[in-house]
Amino acid sequence: MTDGPLIVQSDKTLLLEVDHPASAAARKAVAPFAELERAPEHVHTYRITPLGLWNARAAGHDAEQVVDALIEHSRYPVPHALLVDVAETMDRYGRLRLEKDGDRLVLHATDVPVLEEVLRSKKVAPLVGERLDRETVLVHPSERGNLKQVLLKLGWPAEDLAGYVDGEAHPIELAEDGWAIRPYQQQAVDGFWDGGSGVVVLPCGAGKTIVGAGAMAKAKATTLILVTNTVSARQWREELLKRTSLTEEEIGEYTGSKKEVRPVTIATYQVLTTKRKGVYPHLELLDARDWGLVVYDEVHLLPAPIFRMTADLQARRRLGLTATLVREDGREGEVFSLIGPKRFDAPWKDIEAQGWIAPADCVEVRVTLPDGERLTYATAEPEEKYRLCATSSSKTKVVEQLLRQHPGEQTLVIGQYLDQLAEIGDRLDAPVITGETSVAERQRLFQAFRTGEIHVLVVSKVANFSIDLPEAALAVQVSGSFGSRQEEAQRLGRLLRPKADGRTARFYTVVARDTVDADFAAHRQRFLAEQGYAYSIVDAGDLPHAGTAAAGA
């Protein structure tokens, strides 16, 4: 027994004492295979899962390294059963391998009974062809992704060694004037490239687009970039023009308003998943060129049709970019099997400590529903309760008070319900951006916000994703998507671009106490805790007076 910083428990949770002198070494040792669940002030909680262990195996870590890391850093003897389970779980990865046999794709087994077991599955049988020998079965190339999905669910994840086609070559270089790729961004590019395909996890504001550009410069091939919306598509385009050798003629936009297919094509998930008469007419974009690389921005948001089409893209290199691998639908396994394992993960607090993203102060402001609203809420149908408490009139007053406390700050007021946002916009005399706002108008308002012409923007969830607003220093969240942690990540991320004067960003969430609003807020706070952000809770009546707060801001 050593005085290590780690407590390894038989339920596969790991408790890390943050203040221990060896905590940094222990964190680095367990990060490849254990998922961070909570990161409050003193003790961080990690969990060991089969998917995490298989991620580690795919990244080149073996069971011996995992066992050694647990034993070396543990304060108490590690439960023997856990060590056995770790070794046996990791040993399941790679007993089945997808390989090339000349021009043919085959599933090869290093353990014949495992092959026999999976071939008896009704889900595997339609995906494979002729049995070539005792250890090998033919696989149709179009079923490569589907087979990997099914085998993962059966608990026998296949190691994909079948390689990638190079795709159509296209010269792409990183521009070198006036900027340099950051060390962690280069590590992310190298981790992705060495693995061939997979996911890079970086905080909002840490430059995921640069990682995408770096991967493109490695591939030097035609690239399809899939993004969440048209504004994001245009931001990618601007960033690529600034950071790479690509010209305007080489970058195409495939959105609702344009249908350009060029050596680098940026398409929205929405267009690709548009269904007409039972078919997806725009999926032909995937066959429009011999793509050498497919980039998925905000990979944690991939809609089901994109998963299905990704199953057909297994011969292409695939890069997923995200701030959080949390999926509210629990489909992390599909990201692993269809896009690839996690290749790089930089904790938010680590990037903040290096000065690449701004520190953030997170505060929950609790309001009490007025008597009339409390009665309406108490007697409402369950499906109406969240809307009623989330849009309480008392929240609008708190928003006004918070903005008075922080005069002159570039501020985002964020919510979900359009009537509420319209009312707040009227009260603040501030423009409102929703899904109904045209792309041109959104871009105009975002640009006016960046230049300081506008100090306050009221935005719906259309501003959750991939909107580059580095000047934003204050956010007030009045309602959200029923406790979504991934949404909390995106909204906090809007504030994390470093400020010129180094000041701290402020993230307020206004919550109605004694309602489901408070329950959902507790779930969202889990994300903040996971990332190491301490948050405070204050009563709306105890907010400091505007003069005091402004002086201390």
Side-chain angles (χ1 to χ4, degrees):
M1 186 168 72
T2 64
D3 184 28
L6 200 64
I7 298 175
V8 182
Q9 305 190 110
S10 54
D11 66 351
K12 299 189 178 67
T13 55
L14 312 178
L15 304 179
L16 178 68
E17 184 187 340
V18 177
D19 298 324
H20 192 285
S23 66
R27 179 188 294 113
K28 188 174 181 181
V30 304
F33 62 86
E35 296 299 317
L36 180 65
E37 283 201 329
R38 291 184 293 281
E41 297 85 341
H42 304 298
V43 177
H44 292 183
T45 304
Y46 291 79
R47 182 171 295 279
I48 299 173
T49 65
L51 195 59
L53 292 171
W54 294 332
N55 251 316
R57 277 287 287 113
H61 302 275
D62 60 26
E64 187 177 349
Q65 290 171 291
V66 172
V67 167
D68 286 350
L70 294 173
I71 292 173
E72 178 183 351
H73 296 285
S74 180
R75 181 169 305 173
Y76 306 111
V78 180
H80 182 260
L82 183 146
L83 295 178
V84 171
D85 192 56
V86 163
E88 292 189 350
T89 299
M90 294 183 77
D91 190 46
R92 294 173 80 96
Y93 178 85
R95 291 205 217 176
L96 299 174
R97 296 174 181 165
L98 281 162
E99 299 174 345
K100 275 294 179 69
D101 178 13
D103 292 334
R104 302 184 299 182
L105 179 66
V106 299
L107 181 67
H108 180 77
T110 60
D111 187 339
V112 173
V114 173
L115 182 61
E116 295 290 351
E117 178 186 334
V118 300
L119 290 179
R120 277 164 173 68
S121 163
K122 291 179 181 177
K123 292 185 176 178
V124 170
L127 306 179
V128 299
E130 177 189 352
R131 185 80 173 259
L132 300 179
D133 58 42
R134 190 164 169 268
E135 301 163 344
T136 315
V137 62
L138 204 59
V139 178
H140 193 280
S142 66
E143 300 295 359
R144 183 171 166 182
N146 292 327
L147 182 59
K148 287 198 292 187
Q149 275 184 291
V150 171
L151 292 175
L152 182 78
K153 289 174 183 172
L154 292 175
W156 296 106
E159 187 174 6
D160 190 343
L161 302 172
Y164 308 96
V165 297
D166 291 333
E168 181 185 340
H170 191 81
I172 302 174
E173 302 289 344
L174 289 180
E176 295 179 358
D177 49 327
W179 74 286
I181 192 166
R182 298 169 184 169
Y184 67 83
Q185 292 168 338
Q186 188 61 56
Q187 290 167 14
V189 171
D190 294 341
F192 159 72
W193 193 255
D194 292 344
S197 274
V199 178
V200 167
V201 183
L202 281 176
C204 297
K208 290 187 290 294
T209 312
I210 302 298
V211 174
M216 292 164 66
K218 281 263 195 185
K220 298 190 190 313
T222 53
T223 302
L224 177 62
I225 302 169
L226 304 179
V227 300
T228 51
N229 54 46
T230 301
V231 173
S232 174
R234 292 180 185 164
Q235 285 186 183
W236 264 87
R237 184 172 180 277
E238 289 168 15
E239 198 73 1
L240 291 175
L241 289 171
K242 191 190 308 180
R243 307 291 186 183
T244 73
S245 58
L246 292 166
T247 64
E248 294 197 11
E249 291 70 33
E250 294 172 284
I251 303 175
E253 178 185 313
Y254 200 96
T255 62
S257 58
K258 295 183 180 179
K259 300 291 185 291
E260 303 165 339
V261 179
R262 293 183 182 164
V264 172
T265 298
I266 307 171
T268 60
Y269 295 135
Q270 184 178 9
V271 165
L272 289 186
T273 55
T274 300
K275 203 172 185 179
R276 293 204 183 105
K277 297 181 179 177
V279 298
Y280 298 98
H282 299 294
L283 287 188
E284 65 197 28
L285 174 64
L286 303 173
D287 299 318
R289 285 192 98 110
D290 182 17
W291 306 111
L293 176 66
V294 182
V295 178
Y296 301 81
D297 195 20
E298 312 289 5
V299 73
H300 61 285
L301 297 172
L302 284 194
I306 303 291
F307 274 130
R308 288 196 291 274
M309 79 177 203
T310 301
D312 298 332
L313 289 173
Q314 297 301 297
R316 313 288 168 187
R317 286 185 180 268
R318 301 168 305 284
L319 169 62
L321 299 170
T322 182
T324 169
L325 265 176
V326 171
R327 284 187 63 96
E328 306 299 333
D329 59 7
R331 294 178 77 166
E332 292 91 345
E334 296 198 31
V335 175
F336 174 92
S337 57
L338 294 181
I339 291 168
K342 181 172 65 179
R343 298 296 183 187
F344 184 82
D345 186 356
W348 291 46
K349 278 295 186 180
D350 287 2
I351 301 293
E352 179 192 302
Q354 295 169 34
W356 297 117
I357 60 176
D361 181 21
C362 304
V363 181
E364 179 180 308
V365 182
R366 292 191 176 173
V367 301
T368 300
L369 296 183
D371 287 344
E373 290 183 13
R374 286 187 68 194
L375 188 59
T376 303
Y377 173 84
T379 56
E381 294 298 319
E383 60 271 18
E384 280 293 297
K385 282 184 178 289
Y386 180 61
R387 183 184 62 80
L388 287 168
C389 59
T391 59
S392 168
S393 59
S394 56
K395 289 191 176 187
T396 305
K397 297 170 187 171
V398 170
V399 172
E400 292 179 291
Q401 188 175 352
L402 289 171
L403 265 64
R404 284 196 297 270
Q405 289 175 13
H406 302 285
E409 290 279 24
Q410 293 298 101
T411 302
L412 298 174
V413 179
I414 310 172
Q416 171 158 317
Y417 295 99
L418 302 189
D419 290 350
Q420 178 188 36
L421 297 181
E423 179 194 343
I424 291 172
D426 286 343
R427 293 277 285 270
L428 300 178
D429 192 25
V432 180
I433 297 177
T434 70
E436 296 171 3
T437 310
S438 71
V439 170
E441 179 64 3
R442 286 186 216 180
Q443 289 186 302
R444 185 189 73 77
L445 290 171
F446 286 143
Q447 185 56 29
F449 185 85
R450 292 184 191 107
T451 60
E453 180 186 337
I454 294 174
H455 288 297
V456 180
L457 275 181
V458 180
V459 295
S460 74
K461 60 185 179 182
V462 299
N464 284 357
F465 314 116
S466 305
I467 305 302
D468 186 17
L469 299 172
E471 294 74 18
L474 173 69
V476 183
Q477 176 175 237
V478 291
S479 53
S481 297
F482 307 100
S484 165
R485 283 176 289 156
Q486 59 179 223
E487 181 175 77
E488 199 81 345
Q490 300 297 334
R491 290 181 171 181
L492 175 60
R494 300 283 72 81
L495 301 180
L496 293 184
R497 293 297 174 95
K499 312 309 169 199
D501 56 6
R503 71 189 187 281
T504 296
R506 299 176 187 274
F507 183 58
Y508 290 98
T509 301
V510 188
V511 176
R513 62 163 51 88
D514 299 327
T515 69
V516 292
D517 193 18
D519 298 338
F520 290 142
H523 188 63
R524 290 197 306 268
Q525 283 168 0
R526 179 178 164 191
F527 169 77
L528 301 178
E530 286 169 0
Q531 303 304 335
Y533 287 98
Y535 57 87
S536 54
I537 299 174
V538 300
D539 184 85
D542 294 333
L543 287 173
H545 294 295
T548 307

